[in-house]
């Protein structure tokens, strides 16, 4: 994000969104995944061969551990990142995963609403208020680009008043 963009965000209530999967955690995920794949195979491999009546039981355990381990390795290698910038009357959502970067442009034309929502587990959450940008359903692929829930997450906040300020700032920035 350019210095001018950061100044604009800090001077307003626009959310400064820079989410990344930190490299130390990524390395830890790959190591944990490799451990989860190799260790059960090492310890229980003797139950897989020669074939006997217990082989399916050991195969389920080793296969389940391999599935979980591969998911950890996949998460560690993905290199996920999410950065928002604010050109005039536009929100650019830049996402990076698996070495590819996608850019989604949100404008008044393709945004249906900007809402403040209360989290389902608000009783156990330090930041129960969430601001979301809801894309219009008529724009093909925009809900898929949004991710989970079909909305763009503009952050979680501790108070409803501040979440409402962020919503108004996004609303004003998009010229709605």
């Amino acid at each position: 994000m350019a210095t001018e963009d950061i100044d604009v965000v800090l001077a307003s209530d626009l959310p400064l969104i820079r989410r990344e999967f930190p490299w130390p955690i990524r390395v830890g995920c790959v190591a944990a995944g490799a451990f989860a794949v190799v260790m059960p195979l090492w310890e229980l491999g003797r139950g897989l061969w020669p074939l006997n009546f217990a082989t399916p039981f050991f195969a389920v355990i080793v296969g389940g551990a391999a599935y979980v381990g591969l998911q950890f390795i996949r998460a560690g290698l993905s290199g996920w990142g999410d950065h928002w910038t604010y050109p005039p009357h536009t929100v650019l959502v830049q996402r990076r995963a698996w070495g590819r970067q996608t850019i989604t442009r949100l404008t008044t034309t393709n945004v249906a609403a900007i809402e403040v929502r209360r989290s389902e587990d608000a009783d156990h959450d330090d930041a129960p208020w969430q601001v979301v940008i809801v894309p219009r359903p008529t724009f093909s692929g925009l809900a898929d680009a949004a991710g989970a829930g079909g909305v763009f997450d503009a952050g979680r906040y501790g108070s409803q008043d501040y979440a409402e300020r962020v919503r108004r700032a996004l609303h004003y920035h998009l010229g709605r």
Side-chain angles (χ1 to χ4, degrees):
M1 186 181 281
T3 306
E4 302 84 36
D5 291 338
I6 292 175
D7 291 340
V8 167
V9 170
L10 294 177
S12 69
D13 287 323
L14 291 172
L16 179 61
I17 298 179
R18 299 189 67 156
R19 301 179 191 123
E20 290 188 23
F21 199 23
W23 72 266
I25 295 175
R26 290 175 57 195
V27 169
C29 281
V30 170
F35 181 80
V37 169
V38 171
M39 205 58 182
L41 191 57
W42 178 269
E43 290 294 327
L44 302 176
R46 293 179 294 273
L48 294 174
W49 193 259
L51 296 177
N52 59 42
F53 71 94
T55 297
F57 175 73
F58 287 110
V60 168
I61 294 172
V62 171
Y67 177 78
V68 170
L70 290 174
Q71 296 307 311
F72 267 86
I73 292 170
R74 183 176 157 255
L77 295 177
S78 72
W80 181 84
D82 195 10
H83 302 280
W84 289 28
T85 55
Y86 301 96
H89 303 293
T90 305
V91 176
L92 286 180
V93 179
Q94 300 169 346
R95 291 199 170 137
R96 179 178 38 89
W98 295 103
R100 292 185 305 155
Q101 185 169 353
T102 59
I103 298 175
T104 305
R105 182 181 299 272
L106 300 174
T107 62
T108 302
T109 309
N110 59 9
V111 170
I114 303 170
E115 301 174 351
V116 173
R117 297 180 178 175
R118 186 162 171 87
S119 174
E120 292 85 27
D121 54 342
D123 296 337
H124 307 289
D125 200 354
D126 291 339
W129 299 99
Q130 178 182 23
V131 178
V132 296
I133 298 177
V134 181
R136 290 188 193 273
T138 55
F139 283 84
S140 176
L142 200 54
D144 290 337
V151 295
F152 291 91
D153 181 10
R156 294 182 178 270
Y157 304 96
S159 74
Q160 184 178 10
D161 292 335
Y162 190 73
E164 188 61 37
R165 283 176 48 192
V166 170
R167 186 199 69 76
R168 280 194 303 270
L170 283 167
H171 197 272
Y172 177 76
H173 178 75
L174 287 175
R176 299 191 67 180

